[in-house]
Amino acid sequence: KEKWWAVPSRIHKVLYLDFENKGHMENKKNIFQNGYFPTGKEQECRANLIMEDASLFDIDFSAPENHQQLLDMLEDTKKNKGTPGKAVDLLVIDTYTAFIKTETPATAANFKALMNKIRNLNIAILIVHHANSENEVRGFRSKMDSFCITLNLSCDETKPEGDVTEQTRILKYE
C-alpha cells in the first residue's frame, strides 16, 4: 500500500556542496548516480544533480557577512547549471562542521538565520553532520533547534565484523 521510493514526474534540481572529499568528486558522483537514476532519465538527472567540491572554500558560511555568497551560488545554479531557469529544490551541505569552520555561541543563531533565508526561497535543506563516540551531535545542541527532522544513521555496533558496506544500518529519527 505504501510507496517508499518513487520517481518524481517533474524535474528537481539538487545542489550538493561537498566540503570533505577533495579530489574524489568524480568517484562520489558515480557512487551517487549509478543505479539510482531512472532508466531513460539518466542524462536529465545527472544534469540536475550538481555536486560541487566545496573543500576549497575557506569561509564560515554561517557568518552573516558570508550569507550572500551562498545565496548567490544558489542563484547561479538556477541560471547556469542543470535545467536553465529551474531553481534548486534541495541544498545538501556535507558536512555541517566544514560549512561553518568553527563553532561559537553565535554560530547557531547565524546558521538558523541563513537556513531561514534559504527556506524562504522554497529550498529544502539536508545537512550532514557526524556524531561523537557517544552517538551525540558534536558541538552546541542549540543548532538542532531549527531542524524540522533529524535522522541518525548508524551501523549495528553489536555486529562490527565484516565490511562496513555490508553491516546492518540503523535509522532513527525525531
Side-chain angles (χ1 to χ4, degrees):
K1 294 181 181 179
E2 295 183 65
K3 210 180 224 186
W4 286 90
W5 184 264
V7 177
S9 57
R10 66 182 186 96
I11 296 171
H12 292 281
K13 189 181 281 188
V14 176
L15 176 58
Y16 189 108
L17 299 180
D18 189 317
F19 289 87
E20 293 192 328
N21 293 291
K22 182 179 179 183
H24 299 283
M25 289 303 295
E26 286 307 312
N27 184 43
K28 192 162 187 176
K29 285 180 184 180
N30 288 333
I31 291 169
F32 268 106
Q33 295 172 359
N34 293 341
Y36 291 99
F37 292 149
T39 304
K41 291 190 174 188
E42 296 92 349
Q43 185 175 1
E44 177 183 317
C45 291
R46 280 188 183 95
N48 287 298
L49 174 58
I50 296 96
M51 297 178 74
E52 298 286 347
D53 182 353
S55 62
L56 300 177
F57 293 141
D58 193 27
I59 64 169
D60 171 2
F61 279 102
S62 72
E65 64 271 15
N66 297 326
H67 289 186
Q68 192 59 49
Q69 188 170 342
L70 182 59
L71 297 172
D72 290 346
M73 195 181 312
L74 290 164
E75 184 62 26
D76 179 63
T77 301
K78 174 182 177 179
K79 291 179 181 177
N80 301 314
K81 297 178 182 174
T83 302
K86 172 69 179 118
V88 172
D89 295 294
L90 174 63
L91 171 64
V92 179
I93 298 169
D94 186 359
T95 63
Y96 171 83
T97 306
F99 182 76
I100 62 156
K101 300 294 181 214
T102 59
E103 198 160 17
T104 68
T107 302
N110 293 341
F111 182 74
K112 184 177 182 178
L114 176 58
M115 295 302 103
N116 286 337
K117 289 176 185 177
I118 295 169
R119 285 185 190 125
N120 287 338
L121 298 172
N122 293 319
I123 298 173
I125 308 159
L126 174 63
I127 301 154
V128 178
H129 190 50
H130 299 289
N132 63 20
S133 59
E134 287 80 40
N135 209 21
E136 297 171 343
V137 174
R138 293 179 183 169
F140 296 104
R141 294 242 353 128
S142 58
K143 72 174 153 257
M144 305 292 284
D145 293 344
S146 63
F147 294 167
C148 178
I149 186 170
T150 60
L151 300 171
N152 181 329
L153 179 63
S154 59
C155 294
D156 186 348
E157 294 178 11
T158 64
K159 299 178 184 176
E161 69 281 344
D163 187 283
V164 71
T165 60
E166 298 172 359
Q167 291 179 353
T168 303
R169 300 291 195 269
I170 300 167
L171 178 64
K172 297 177 185 175
Y173 65 94
E174 56 184 55

